[in-house]
Amino acid sequence: MDTRELPLILFTLLTQLAVGLAVFAALRQWVTVEGPSVKTRNEWIAILALIGVGVVAAFFHLGKPLGFIRMLTNIGTAWLSREILTFAIFGVLAAVSLYMVYTKVANGWMLKLTALVGLLAVFTTGMAYAGKAMDAINNLLPLVFFMLTVFTLGPAVATYFVEEKTHALLTSILFPTLLASLIVRFVVPFIWLSGNAVMNATGQNFLASPLHWLHLAALLAGLFFVRNGKSIPAWLPIVLLIGELLGRIAFFALVVTSGANLGGVY
Amino acid sequence: MTRYAFSVNAELCIGCSSCGMACKNQYNLDPGMVWRKLYPLSEEIYPYKDRAFYSLACNHCSQPACLEGCPVGAYTQRDDGIVVHNEDVCIGCRNCLRNCPFGAPRYNEEEGHVEKCSMCWQRIDEGLLPACVQACPTNALTLVDLDADDVSGTVQYPPGFPYRPDVEPSTRFVLPVAPKVVRRDV
């Protein structure tokens, strides 16, 4: 694998975890009218920290990190510029949300807006990674994969910040997400096999990769342990996080570009 | 209007790599860096003992995916169709590598930026041919004007080259002719 992609693996994973937490923090406010608590504050601190670490990591994938500021130049056509902008707005809104939670003036609309902008940011990430050089993912698949990560890690990691009685709400979302993620991620490489030579090579790479199967194993473990719909074991979010990390490494390392097959049959 | 493009005649190409060498010499490219490369056609496409090649660099697409996806606007397109990459503006995010279906942009690890074929626009502006075209000993690689020259005998998407009408690569190809097989009566 190209180690230069490691910063992007961290950036995408950590920011998607942050968005997942923000979405379920807002959802809990909406569904249960959960008031500001010390744990909620910790959750928003974690969200901000994840965004911060993710953004710092992203700097390291640039050949010229000081040029970062210019990344908004081509917002008219480049999804990467839009991604930076939406994540910047998400970061600011998350900071405002934390302030409001701290000062106990937490406003449900503010949290919902932050979550919505977070989802919009993940949408831009999905579009940015649908690279035209990669036939297998030059479509909505990156968006689907990333959203599944958001809705897997969000409710799973949120269990560290909520009371036991709220676990039922989180598992009611986590179970179907894990099931959908498992099905999608299992089926997609086989669909790739039926595509052109480049897609076929991508499918073969995934099916031969321990990264892919360990990712599926983590999802399967999650599915098994949340099936009773009541509580999420404390170790499970870590297993799911490791699983998503392995899956993300596979995403960055195993997709074949069409330029790699020049002179061959497409 | 002028619309410059490379024309690759796989029937004439003998695989000498003069084009790639001329390119490296012209721009004094770092070791390991190539802007133009020779790709042998696979046996499934050209199943003969003598081989056939495509000499490929940037295809200077009409709808360049690199330009569209570059977050810092390091790519520009001239009126004559040449897609120019500004290394001083590039911040090395490598998003163009994810977007170019032909693998034309290359990342220079030492310099921290991407590089690619410029079709020698400075030479063209001086009335000269691109270095690779000038160096080709068999005239397999030529510069054509898609708006003025007759390119009716060429192909835009030959076997061994991605079919990507969404970006409209400008390069045109003449396919290799199957060698004549002479059989002796036994």
Side-chain angles (χ1 to χ4, degrees), chain A residues 4-5 8 61-64 67-68 70-74 77-78 80-81 128-129 131-135 138 258-259 261-266, chain B residues 39 41-42 44-45 65 67-72 87 89-95 97-102 107 109 112-113 160-162 164:
Chain A
R4 289 176 306 197
E5 303 288 14
L8 287 182
H61 96 281
L62 297 175
K64 297 173 186 169
F68 184 81
R70 294 205 309 274
M71 288 190 81
L72 296 178
T73 307
N74 202 10
T77 63
L80 203 57
S81 295
Y129 284 90
K132 289 185 176 178
M134 296 170 283
D135 293 354
N138 182 21
S258 54
N261 195 42
L262 289 169
V265 175
Y266 278 93
Chain B
Y39 295 88
L41 292 186
S42 69
E44 292 96 330
I45 294 173
L67 185 152
E68 186 186 301
C70 177
V72 296
E87 293 169 3
V89 175
C90 177
I91 58 171
C93 71
R94 304 189 299 280
N95 200 41
L97 275 68
R98 271 190 288 277
N99 277 293
C100 174
F102 313 105
Y107 185 63
E109 194 82 51
H113 63 222
F161 189 75
R164 296 305 295 262

Short mmCIF file of all heavy atoms in Angstrom, two decimals, chain A residues 4-5 8 61-64 67-68 70-74 77-78 80-81 128-129 131-135 138 258-259 261-266, chain B residues 39 41-42 44-45 65 67-72 87 89-95 97-102 107 109 112-113 160-162 164:
data_model
loop_
_atom_site.label_atom_id
_atom_site.label_comp_id
_atom_site.label_asym_id
_atom_site.label_seq_id
_atom_site.Cartn_x
_atom_site.Cartn_y
_atom_site.Cartn_z
N ARG A 4 1.69 7.09 1.52
CA ARG A 4 1.31 8.50 1.42
C ARG A 4 -0.20 8.68 1.62
O ARG A 4 -0.66 9.79 1.84
CB ARG A 4 1.71 9.04 0.04
CG ARG A 4 3.21 9.19 -0.14
CD ARG A 4 3.54 9.61 -1.54
NE ARG A 4 2.94 8.72 -2.53
CZ ARG A 4 3.32 8.65 -3.80
NH1 ARG A 4 4.29 9.41 -4.23
NH2 ARG A 4 2.74 7.83 -4.64
N GLU A 5 -0.94 7.58 1.51
CA GLU A 5 -2.40 7.67 1.67
C GLU A 5 -2.82 7.60 3.14
O GLU A 5 -3.98 7.85 3.46
CB GLU A 5 -3.09 6.55 0.89
CG GLU A 5 -2.77 6.51 -0.60
CD GLU A 5 -3.42 7.64 -1.38
OE1 GLU A 5 -3.88 8.60 -0.75
OE2 GLU A 5 -3.43 7.55 -2.62
N LEU A 8 -4.78 10.44 4.63
CA LEU A 8 -6.16 10.53 4.13
C LEU A 8 -7.04 9.46 4.76
O LEU A 8 -8.24 9.68 4.98
CB LEU A 8 -6.18 10.40 2.61
CG LEU A 8 -5.67 11.61 1.84
CD1 LEU A 8 -5.79 11.37 0.34
CD2 LEU A 8 -6.43 12.86 2.23
N HIS A 61 -0.70 14.68 3.88
CA HIS A 61 -0.74 14.02 2.57
C HIS A 61 -0.39 15.00 1.46
O HIS A 61 -0.24 14.62 0.31
CB HIS A 61 -2.11 13.38 2.33
CG HIS A 61 -3.07 14.20 1.54
ND1 HIS A 61 -3.77 15.24 2.08
CD2 HIS A 61 -3.43 14.15 0.23
CE1 HIS A 61 -4.52 15.79 1.15
NE2 HIS A 61 -4.34 15.16 0.03
N LEU A 62 -0.22 16.26 1.82
CA LEU A 62 0.11 17.26 0.80
C LEU A 62 1.62 17.31 0.58
O LEU A 62 2.40 17.26 1.53
CB LEU A 62 -0.38 18.65 1.23
CG LEU A 62 -1.89 18.82 1.39
CD1 LEU A 62 -2.20 20.21 1.93
CD2 LEU A 62 -2.60 18.58 0.08
N GLY A 63 2.00 17.44 -0.68
CA GLY A 63 3.42 17.61 -0.99
C GLY A 63 3.92 18.95 -0.49
O GLY A 63 5.07 19.10 -0.10
N LYS A 64 3.03 19.95 -0.52
CA LYS A 64 3.36 21.30 -0.03
C LYS A 64 2.27 21.72 0.96
O LYS A 64 1.30 22.41 0.58
CB LYS A 64 3.43 22.29 -1.19
CG LYS A 64 4.53 21.96 -2.20
CD LYS A 64 4.42 22.88 -3.41
CE LYS A 64 5.41 22.48 -4.49
NZ LYS A 64 5.16 23.19 -5.75
N GLY A 67 0.51 25.12 1.23
CA GLY A 67 -0.43 25.56 0.19
C GLY A 67 -1.87 25.21 0.52
O GLY A 67 -2.77 25.46 -0.28
N PHE A 68 -2.08 24.66 1.71
CA PHE A 68 -3.41 24.20 2.13
C PHE A 68 -4.48 25.27 1.95
O PHE A 68 -5.59 24.98 1.51
CB PHE A 68 -3.32 23.78 3.61
CG PHE A 68 -4.59 23.21 4.16
CD1 PHE A 68 -4.91 21.88 3.93
CD2 PHE A 68 -5.46 23.98 4.91
CE1 PHE A 68 -6.09 21.34 4.43
CE2 PHE A 68 -6.64 23.44 5.41
CZ PHE A 68 -6.95 22.12 5.17
N ARG A 70 -4.87 27.41 -0.18
CA ARG A 70 -5.34 27.64 -1.56
C ARG A 70 -6.35 26.58 -2.03
O ARG A 70 -6.84 26.64 -3.15
CB ARG A 70 -4.14 27.64 -2.52
CG ARG A 70 -3.19 28.80 -2.31
CD ARG A 70 -2.41 29.11 -3.58
NE ARG A 70 -1.77 27.95 -4.16
CZ ARG A 70 -0.57 27.51 -3.81
NH1 ARG A 70 0.12 28.14 -2.89
NH2 ARG A 70 -0.04 26.45 -4.39
N MET A 71 -6.64 25.63 -1.15
CA MET A 71 -7.50 24.52 -1.58
C MET A 71 -8.95 24.92 -1.82
O MET A 71 -9.74 24.13 -2.29
CB MET A 71 -7.46 23.37 -0.57
CG MET A 71 -6.14 22.62 -0.62
SD MET A 71 -6.14 21.11 0.32
CE MET A 71 -6.94 19.97 -0.79
N LEU A 72 -9.30 26.16 -1.49
CA LEU A 72 -10.66 26.61 -1.76
C LEU A 72 -10.76 27.31 -3.12
O LEU A 72 -11.82 27.78 -3.51
CB LEU A 72 -11.13 27.57 -0.66
CG LEU A 72 -11.24 26.96 0.75
CD1 LEU A 72 -11.66 28.02 1.75
CD2 LEU A 72 -12.25 25.83 0.76
N THR A 73 -9.63 27.38 -3.83
CA THR A 73 -9.58 28.15 -5.08
C THR A 73 -10.59 27.66 -6.12
O THR A 73 -11.23 28.47 -6.79
CB THR A 73 -8.16 28.05 -5.69
OG1 THR A 73 -7.23 28.42 -4.69
CG2 THR A 73 -8.02 28.95 -6.90
N ASN A 74 -10.71 26.35 -6.27
CA ASN A 74 -11.49 25.82 -7.39
C ASN A 74 -12.83 25.25 -6.92
O ASN A 74 -13.22 24.15 -7.32
CB ASN A 74 -10.68 24.73 -8.11
CG ASN A 74 -11.14 24.52 -9.52
OD1 ASN A 74 -11.94 25.30 -10.05
ND2 ASN A 74 -10.67 23.46 -10.15
N THR A 77 -15.68 23.73 -9.42
CA THR A 77 -15.75 22.40 -10.04
C THR A 77 -15.15 21.29 -9.19
O THR A 77 -15.46 20.12 -9.42
CB THR A 77 -15.01 22.37 -11.40
OG1 THR A 77 -13.62 22.64 -11.17
CG2 THR A 77 -15.58 23.39 -12.37
N ALA A 78 -14.26 21.61 -8.24
CA ALA A 78 -13.52 20.55 -7.52
C ALA A 78 -14.24 20.15 -6.23
O ALA A 78 -14.42 20.98 -5.33
CB ALA A 78 -12.11 21.03 -7.22
N LEU A 80 -13.03 18.39 -4.00
CA LEU A 80 -12.06 18.45 -2.89
C LEU A 80 -12.12 19.83 -2.21
O LEU A 80 -12.06 19.93 -0.98
CB LEU A 80 -10.65 18.19 -3.43
CG LEU A 80 -9.62 17.68 -2.43
CD1 LEU A 80 -10.08 16.39 -1.77
CD2 LEU A 80 -8.28 17.47 -3.11
N SER A 81 -12.28 20.88 -3.01
CA SER A 81 -12.42 22.22 -2.44
C SER A 81 -13.70 22.32 -1.62
O SER A 81 -13.72 22.87 -0.51
CB SER A 81 -12.47 23.28 -3.56
OG SER A 81 -11.26 23.33 -4.26
N ALA A 128 -15.74 13.50 -3.75
CA ALA A 128 -14.32 13.77 -4.03
C ALA A 128 -13.56 12.47 -4.31
O ALA A 128 -12.61 12.46 -5.10
CB ALA A 128 -13.68 14.50 -2.85
N TYR A 129 -13.98 11.39 -3.66
CA TYR A 129 -13.23 10.13 -3.84
C TYR A 129 -13.79 9.26 -4.98
O TYR A 129 -13.28 8.18 -5.22
CB TYR A 129 -13.16 9.36 -2.52
CG TYR A 129 -12.15 10.00 -1.61
CD1 TYR A 129 -12.53 10.99 -0.72
CD2 TYR A 129 -10.81 9.67 -1.70
CE1 TYR A 129 -11.60 11.64 0.07
CE2 TYR A 129 -9.87 10.30 -0.91
CZ TYR A 129 -10.28 11.29 -0.02
OH TYR A 129 -9.35 11.93 0.74
N GLY A 131 -13.23 9.07 -7.95
CA GLY A 131 -12.26 9.51 -8.95
C GLY A 131 -12.52 8.88 -10.32
O GLY A 131 -12.84 7.69 -10.41
N LYS A 132 -12.37 9.70 -11.36
CA LYS A 132 -12.63 9.20 -12.71
C LYS A 132 -11.58 8.18 -13.17
O LYS A 132 -11.78 7.50 -14.17
CB LYS A 132 -12.68 10.37 -13.69
CG LYS A 132 -13.93 11.22 -13.51
CD LYS A 132 -14.04 12.29 -14.56
CE LYS A 132 -15.36 13.03 -14.38
NZ LYS A 132 -15.52 14.13 -15.34
N ALA A 133 -10.47 8.11 -12.45
CA ALA A 133 -9.44 7.14 -12.82
C ALA A 133 -9.77 5.75 -12.30
O ALA A 133 -9.15 4.77 -12.70
CB ALA A 133 -8.08 7.58 -12.28
N MET A 134 -10.73 5.67 -11.38
CA MET A 134 -11.02 4.39 -10.74
C MET A 134 -12.44 3.94 -11.08
O MET A 134 -13.40 4.36 -10.44
CB MET A 134 -10.83 4.54 -9.22
CG MET A 134 -9.37 4.85 -8.89
SD MET A 134 -9.10 5.33 -7.20
CE MET A 134 -9.68 7.00 -7.21
N ASP A 135 -12.53 3.11 -12.10
CA ASP A 135 -13.85 2.71 -12.61
C ASP A 135 -14.72 2.08 -11.53
O ASP A 135 -15.94 2.29 -11.51
CB ASP A 135 -13.68 1.70 -13.76
CG ASP A 135 -13.04 2.35 -14.98
OD1 ASP A 135 -12.85 3.58 -14.95
OD2 ASP A 135 -12.71 1.63 -15.94
N ASN A 138 -15.98 5.06 -9.38
CA ASN A 138 -16.37 6.30 -10.05
C ASN A 138 -17.89 6.35 -10.13
O ASN A 138 -18.50 6.36 -11.21
CB ASN A 138 -15.74 6.37 -11.45
CG ASN A 138 -16.07 7.66 -12.17
OD1 ASN A 138 -16.43 8.66 -11.55
ND2 ASN A 138 -15.98 7.64 -13.49
N SER A 258 -7.64 2.92 -14.00
CA SER A 258 -7.70 2.50 -15.40
C SER A 258 -6.36 2.73 -16.11
O SER A 258 -6.01 2.02 -17.04
CB SER A 258 -8.83 3.21 -16.14
OG SER A 258 -8.71 4.61 -15.98
N GLY A 259 -5.60 3.72 -15.62
CA GLY A 259 -4.29 3.98 -16.22
C GLY A 259 -3.29 2.86 -15.99
O GLY A 259 -2.28 2.77 -16.69
N ASN A 261 -3.75 -0.15 -16.66
CA ASN A 261 -3.99 -1.25 -17.60
C ASN A 261 -3.78 -0.82 -19.05
O ASN A 261 -4.23 -1.50 -19.97
CB ASN A 261 -5.42 -1.77 -17.40
CG ASN A 261 -5.64 -3.10 -18.05
OD1 ASN A 261 -4.79 -3.99 -17.97
ND2 ASN A 261 -6.77 -3.27 -18.73
N LEU A 262 -3.07 0.29 -19.25
CA LEU A 262 -2.88 0.78 -20.62
C LEU A 262 -2.18 -0.28 -21.47
O LEU A 262 -1.19 -0.88 -21.04
CB LEU A 262 -2.06 2.07 -20.61
CG LEU A 262 -2.78 3.31 -20.06
CD1 LEU A 262 -1.80 4.45 -19.84
CD2 LEU A 262 -3.92 3.74 -20.96
N GLY A 263 -2.71 -0.51 -22.65
CA GLY A 263 -2.16 -1.55 -23.53
C GLY A 263 -2.86 -2.89 -23.35
O GLY A 263 -2.69 -3.79 -24.15
N GLY A 264 -3.63 -3.01 -22.26
CA GLY A 264 -4.34 -4.27 -21.99
C GLY A 264 -5.80 -4.16 -22.39
O GLY A 264 -6.28 -3.11 -22.79
N VAL A 265 -6.50 -5.28 -22.26
CA VAL A 265 -7.92 -5.30 -22.60
C VAL A 265 -8.71 -4.61 -21.50
O VAL A 265 -8.46 -4.84 -20.32
CB VAL A 265 -8.40 -6.76 -22.75
CG1 VAL A 265 -9.90 -6.80 -22.99
CG2 VAL A 265 -7.66 -7.45 -23.87
N TYR A 266 -9.64 -3.74 -21.88
CA TYR A 266 -10.49 -3.08 -20.90
C TYR A 266 -11.85 -3.74 -20.81
O TYR A 266 -12.29 -4.39 -21.69
CB TYR A 266 -10.63 -1.58 -21.25
CG TYR A 266 -9.42 -0.80 -20.76
CD1 TYR A 266 -8.35 -0.57 -21.60
CD2 TYR A 266 -9.36 -0.32 -19.45
CE1 TYR A 266 -7.23 0.12 -21.15
CE2 TYR A 266 -8.25 0.37 -19.00
CZ TYR A 266 -7.20 0.59 -19.85
OH TYR A 266 -6.08 1.26 -19.40
N TYR B 39 3.72 1.78 -24.11
CA TYR B 39 2.91 0.67 -23.57
C TYR B 39 2.76 -0.41 -24.64
O TYR B 39 2.13 -0.17 -25.68
CB TYR B 39 1.53 1.16 -23.14
CG TYR B 39 1.59 2.13 -21.99
CD1 TYR B 39 1.75 3.51 -22.21
CD2 TYR B 39 1.50 1.70 -20.67
CE1 TYR B 39 1.81 4.41 -21.16
CE2 TYR B 39 1.56 2.60 -19.61
CZ TYR B 39 1.71 3.95 -19.87
OH TYR B 39 1.79 4.84 -18.83
N LEU B 41 1.15 -3.47 -26.51
CA LEU B 41 -0.22 -4.01 -26.54
C LEU B 41 -0.18 -5.46 -26.07
O LEU B 41 0.72 -6.22 -26.42
CB LEU B 41 -0.79 -3.93 -27.95
CG LEU B 41 -1.06 -2.53 -28.48
CD1 LEU B 41 -1.77 -2.58 -29.83
CD2 LEU B 41 -1.91 -1.74 -27.49
N SER B 42 -1.18 -5.83 -25.29
CA SER B 42 -1.21 -7.19 -24.74
C SER B 42 -1.48 -8.20 -25.86
O SER B 42 -1.97 -7.84 -26.94
CB SER B 42 -2.30 -7.30 -23.67
OG SER B 42 -3.56 -7.20 -24.28
N GLU B 44 -3.73 -10.37 -26.05
CA GLU B 44 -5.15 -10.50 -26.37
C GLU B 44 -5.56 -9.50 -27.46
O GLU B 44 -6.46 -9.75 -28.24
CB GLU B 44 -6.02 -10.23 -25.12
CG GLU B 44 -5.92 -11.28 -24.04
CD GLU B 44 -4.91 -10.89 -22.98
OE1 GLU B 44 -3.93 -10.18 -23.32
OE2 GLU B 44 -5.08 -11.30 -21.83
N ILE B 45 -4.85 -8.38 -27.50
CA ILE B 45 -5.19 -7.35 -28.49
C ILE B 45 -4.39 -7.54 -29.78
O ILE B 45 -4.92 -7.42 -30.87
CB ILE B 45 -4.92 -5.94 -27.89
CG1 ILE B 45 -5.89 -5.68 -26.73
CG2 ILE B 45 -5.08 -4.85 -28.95
CD1 ILE B 45 -5.61 -4.42 -25.95
N ALA B 65 -10.37 15.89 -16.69
CA ALA B 65 -10.78 15.53 -15.32
C ALA B 65 -9.80 16.09 -14.29
O ALA B 65 -10.18 16.39 -13.16
CB ALA B 65 -10.88 14.02 -15.19
N LEU B 67 -8.19 18.97 -14.48
CA LEU B 67 -8.50 20.40 -14.31
C LEU B 67 -9.75 20.57 -13.45
O LEU B 67 -9.78 21.40 -12.54
CB LEU B 67 -8.70 21.03 -15.69
CG LEU B 67 -8.91 22.54 -15.81
CD1 LEU B 67 -8.39 23.04 -17.16
CD2 LEU B 67 -10.36 22.93 -15.68
N GLU B 68 -10.75 19.74 -13.73
CA GLU B 68 -12.01 19.83 -13.00
C GLU B 68 -11.82 19.51 -11.52
O GLU B 68 -12.41 20.16 -10.65
CB GLU B 68 -13.00 18.84 -13.62
CG GLU B 68 -14.40 18.91 -13.06
CD GLU B 68 -15.27 17.79 -13.62
OE1 GLU B 68 -15.44 17.72 -14.86
OE2 GLU B 68 -15.77 16.99 -12.83
N GLY B 69 -10.97 18.54 -11.22
CA GLY B 69 -10.83 18.08 -9.84
C GLY B 69 -9.75 18.78 -9.03
O GLY B 69 -9.69 18.60 -7.81
N CYS B 70 -8.91 19.57 -9.68
CA CYS B 70 -7.80 20.20 -8.95
C CYS B 70 -8.33 21.30 -8.01
O CYS B 70 -8.95 22.25 -8.46
CB CYS B 70 -6.80 20.81 -9.94
SG CYS B 70 -5.45 21.67 -9.10
N PRO B 71 -8.09 21.16 -6.71
CA PRO B 71 -8.67 22.13 -5.77
C PRO B 71 -7.98 23.49 -5.79
O PRO B 71 -8.54 24.47 -5.31
CB PRO B 71 -8.47 21.45 -4.41
CG PRO B 71 -7.29 20.57 -4.59
CD PRO B 71 -7.32 20.12 -6.02
N VAL B 72 -6.75 23.57 -6.33
CA VAL B 72 -6.03 24.84 -6.29
C VAL B 72 -5.93 25.51 -7.66
O VAL B 72 -5.27 26.53 -7.81
CB VAL B 72 -4.60 24.65 -5.71
CG1 VAL B 72 -4.67 24.20 -4.26
CG2 VAL B 72 -3.78 23.68 -6.54
N GLU B 87 3.33 23.82 -11.93
CA GLU B 87 3.93 23.14 -10.78
C GLU B 87 4.08 24.05 -9.57
O GLU B 87 4.13 23.58 -8.43
CB GLU B 87 5.31 22.56 -11.17
CG GLU B 87 5.19 21.44 -12.19
CD GLU B 87 6.53 21.05 -12.78
OE1 GLU B 87 7.57 21.60 -12.35
OE2 GLU B 87 6.54 20.19 -13.69
N VAL B 89 1.93 26.25 -8.59
CA VAL B 89 0.62 26.37 -7.92
C VAL B 89 0.23 25.06 -7.24
O VAL B 89 -0.41 25.05 -6.20
CB VAL B 89 -0.47 26.79 -8.95
CG1 VAL B 89 -1.85 26.81 -8.32
CG2 VAL B 89 -0.13 28.17 -9.53
N CYS B 90 0.66 23.94 -7.85
CA CYS B 90 0.32 22.61 -7.34
C CYS B 90 0.79 22.44 -5.90
O CYS B 90 1.91 22.81 -5.55
CB CYS B 90 0.97 21.55 -8.24
SG CYS B 90 0.71 19.85 -7.69
N ILE B 91 -0.09 21.86 -5.05
CA ILE B 91 0.30 21.61 -3.65
C ILE B 91 0.51 20.12 -3.38
O ILE B 91 0.69 19.70 -2.24
CB ILE B 91 -0.75 22.17 -2.66
CG1 ILE B 91 -2.12 21.55 -2.91
CG2 ILE B 91 -0.81 23.69 -2.76
CD1 ILE B 91 -3.15 21.88 -1.84
N GLY B 92 0.46 19.32 -4.44
CA GLY B 92 0.77 17.89 -4.29
C GLY B 92 -0.29 17.08 -3.57
O GLY B 92 0.03 16.13 -2.85
N CYS B 93 -1.58 17.43 -3.79
CA CYS B 93 -2.65 16.66 -3.13
C CYS B 93 -2.93 15.36 -3.88
O CYS B 93 -3.61 14.48 -3.36
CB CYS B 93 -3.93 17.49 -3.00
SG CYS B 93 -4.79 17.79 -4.56
N ARG B 94 -2.47 15.28 -5.11
CA ARG B 94 -2.59 14.09 -5.96
C ARG B 94 -4.03 13.75 -6.32
O ARG B 94 -4.33 12.62 -6.70
CB ARG B 94 -1.90 12.88 -5.29
CG ARG B 94 -0.46 13.12 -4.94
CD ARG B 94 0.25 11.85 -4.51
NE ARG B 94 -0.31 11.25 -3.33
CZ ARG B 94 -0.07 11.66 -2.09
NH1 ARG B 94 0.75 12.67 -1.89
NH2 ARG B 94 -0.62 11.05 -1.06
N ASN B 95 -4.93 14.70 -6.21
CA ASN B 95 -6.31 14.44 -6.59
C ASN B 95 -6.41 14.19 -8.10
O ASN B 95 -7.27 13.44 -8.55
CB ASN B 95 -7.20 15.62 -6.19
CG ASN B 95 -8.66 15.22 -6.11
OD1 ASN B 95 -9.00 14.15 -5.61
ND2 ASN B 95 -9.54 16.07 -6.61
N LEU B 97 -4.34 12.53 -9.85
CA LEU B 97 -3.99 11.13 -10.09
C LEU B 97 -5.22 10.24 -9.92
O LEU B 97 -5.34 9.21 -10.58
CB LEU B 97 -2.89 10.66 -9.13
CG LEU B 97 -1.44 10.94 -9.54
CD1 LEU B 97 -1.13 12.42 -9.51
CD2 LEU B 97 -0.48 10.21 -8.63
N ARG B 98 -6.10 10.65 -9.02
CA ARG B 98 -7.33 9.88 -8.80
C ARG B 98 -8.33 10.14 -9.92
O ARG B 98 -9.26 9.37 -10.10
CB ARG B 98 -7.98 10.27 -7.47
CG ARG B 98 -7.51 9.46 -6.28
CD ARG B 98 -8.37 9.74 -5.08
NE ARG B 98 -8.13 11.06 -4.53
CZ ARG B 98 -7.15 11.36 -3.69
NH1 ARG B 98 -6.33 10.41 -3.29
NH2 ARG B 98 -6.97 12.57 -3.25
N ASN B 99 -8.14 11.23 -10.63
CA ASN B 99 -9.16 11.62 -11.62
C ASN B 99 -8.79 11.33 -13.06
O ASN B 99 -9.68 11.12 -13.88
CB ASN B 99 -9.48 13.11 -11.46
CG ASN B 99 -10.51 13.35 -10.37
OD1 ASN B 99 -11.65 12.95 -10.48
ND2 ASN B 99 -10.08 13.95 -9.27
N CYS B 100 -7.52 11.33 -13.39
CA CYS B 100 -7.14 11.11 -14.80
C CYS B 100 -7.30 9.63 -15.15
O CYS B 100 -6.61 8.78 -14.59
CB CYS B 100 -5.69 11.56 -15.05
SG CYS B 100 -5.15 11.12 -16.72
N PRO B 101 -8.18 9.30 -16.10
CA PRO B 101 -8.39 7.89 -16.46
C PRO B 101 -7.19 7.27 -17.17
O PRO B 101 -7.16 6.06 -17.39
CB PRO B 101 -9.59 7.92 -17.40
CG PRO B 101 -10.18 9.28 -17.26
CD PRO B 101 -9.07 10.18 -16.85
N PHE B 102 -6.22 8.09 -17.57
CA PHE B 102 -5.10 7.59 -18.36
C PHE B 102 -3.79 7.58 -17.60
O PHE B 102 -2.73 7.29 -18.17
CB PHE B 102 -4.98 8.45 -19.64
CG PHE B 102 -6.29 8.66 -20.32
CD1 PHE B 102 -6.96 9.87 -20.24
CD2 PHE B 102 -6.89 7.62 -21.02
CE1 PHE B 102 -8.19 10.07 -20.84
CE2 PHE B 102 -8.13 7.80 -21.62
CZ PHE B 102 -8.78 9.02 -21.53
N TYR B 107 3.39 11.92 -9.78
CA TYR B 107 3.77 12.64 -8.55
C TYR B 107 5.28 12.62 -8.38
O TYR B 107 5.91 11.56 -8.43
CB TYR B 107 3.10 12.01 -7.35
CG TYR B 107 3.33 12.77 -6.06
CD1 TYR B 107 2.86 14.08 -5.92
CD2 TYR B 107 4.04 12.20 -5.01
CE1 TYR B 107 3.08 14.78 -4.76
CE2 TYR B 107 4.26 12.90 -3.84
CZ TYR B 107 3.77 14.20 -3.71
OH TYR B 107 4.00 14.91 -2.56
N GLU B 109 7.94 12.90 -5.83
CA GLU B 109 8.09 12.82 -4.36
C GLU B 109 9.07 13.87 -3.84
O GLU B 109 8.84 14.49 -2.80
CB GLU B 109 8.60 11.42 -4.01
CG GLU B 109 8.50 11.05 -2.56
CD GLU B 109 7.11 10.55 -2.17
OE1 GLU B 109 6.57 9.66 -2.84
OE2 GLU B 109 6.58 11.10 -1.21
N GLY B 112 7.46 17.36 -4.28
CA GLY B 112 6.17 17.51 -3.62
C GLY B 112 5.09 18.08 -4.52
O GLY B 112 4.17 18.73 -4.05
N HIS B 113 5.22 17.85 -5.81
CA HIS B 113 4.17 18.30 -6.73
C HIS B 113 3.97 17.28 -7.85
O HIS B 113 4.75 16.36 -8.01
CB HIS B 113 4.46 19.70 -7.30
CG HIS B 113 5.71 19.76 -8.13
ND1 HIS B 113 6.59 20.79 -8.06
CD2 HIS B 113 6.22 18.92 -9.06
CE1 HIS B 113 7.60 20.60 -8.89
NE2 HIS B 113 7.38 19.46 -9.52
N GLY B 160 -7.05 -1.38 -25.82
CA GLY B 160 -5.86 -1.09 -25.01
C GLY B 160 -5.81 0.33 -24.50
O GLY B 160 -4.81 0.76 -23.92
N PHE B 161 -6.90 1.06 -24.70
CA PHE B 161 -6.99 2.46 -24.28
C PHE B 161 -8.38 2.67 -23.69
O PHE B 161 -9.37 2.24 -24.28
CB PHE B 161 -6.77 3.37 -25.50
CG PHE B 161 -6.63 4.83 -25.17
CD1 PHE B 161 -5.46 5.32 -24.61
CD2 PHE B 161 -7.66 5.71 -25.46
CE1 PHE B 161 -5.33 6.68 -24.33
CE2 PHE B 161 -7.53 7.06 -25.18
CZ PHE B 161 -6.36 7.54 -24.61
N PRO B 162 -8.47 3.30 -22.51
CA PRO B 162 -9.78 3.43 -21.87
C PRO B 162 -10.78 4.19 -22.73
O PRO B 162 -10.45 5.22 -23.32
CB PRO B 162 -9.47 4.21 -20.58
CG PRO B 162 -8.02 4.01 -20.34
CD PRO B 162 -7.39 3.90 -21.70
N ARG B 164 -13.32 6.62 -22.72
CA ARG B 164 -13.79 7.65 -21.80
C ARG B 164 -14.29 8.89 -22.54
O ARG B 164 -13.64 9.95 -22.56
CB ARG B 164 -12.66 8.03 -20.82
CG ARG B 164 -12.22 6.90 -19.92
CD ARG B 164 -13.40 6.32 -19.14
NE ARG B 164 -13.97 7.28 -18.23
CZ ARG B 164 -13.67 7.32 -16.93
NH1 ARG B 164 -12.84 6.46 -16.40
NH2 ARG B 164 -14.24 8.22 -16.16
#
